[in-house]
Amino acid sequence: MSLDHATVRRIAKLARIRLDEDAVPRLAGELNAILGYVEQLAEVDVEGVAPLSGGAQMALRMREDEVTDGRYPDRVLANAPERIGDFFAVPKVVE
């Protein structure tokens, strides 16, 4: 499958993406490369492979719901621009 320039413009319009005219050929090439990869995936033999719809079938281990400080506040606050003790310091936004 190959997308022409008119189809690329229509896709951009439907996605509400402003597209300059000089970007249409580049985007058409990128979209065609993506569609080519999808066509390659369609050729893969998946006979006997069980479908996977996500991790919803897995059971999660339950743990106690307890409030902690994270057990390593210095690592948590290492990238904070400003801190007061073991807390992030943020500017006042409500008068």
Side-chain angles (χ1 to χ4, degrees):
M1 177 178 201
S2 180
L3 298 177
D4 60 355
H5 292 185
T7 305
V8 171
R9 284 188 207 94
R10 184 163 188 269
I11 291 169
K13 182 179 178 183
L14 290 172
R16 298 178 187 258
I17 299 172
R18 184 179 304 138
L19 191 60
D20 294 330
E21 195 59 36
D22 57 337
V24 172
R26 179 182 55 80
L27 188 59
E30 291 177 6
L31 289 172
N32 285 326
I34 293 169
L35 291 174
Y37 181 70
V38 171
E39 288 175 0
Q40 283 181 351
L41 290 176
E43 297 172 3
V44 175
D45 180 25
V46 293
E47 188 67 33
V49 177
L52 178 66
S53 61
Q57 297 83 9
M58 298 168 41
L60 298 176
R61 291 184 299 136
M62 299 299 283
R63 62 177 172 81
E64 291 296 320
D65 189 16
E66 60 186 49
V67 178
T68 68
D69 62 356
R71 297 187 185 92
Y72 39 86
D74 290 331
R75 287 184 8 203
V76 171
L77 295 167
N79 292 322
E82 201 173 325
R83 62 189 271 188
I84 300 172
D86 287 341
F87 301 98
F88 283 90
V90 294
K92 185 176 181 179
V93 294
V94 180
E95 294 290 328

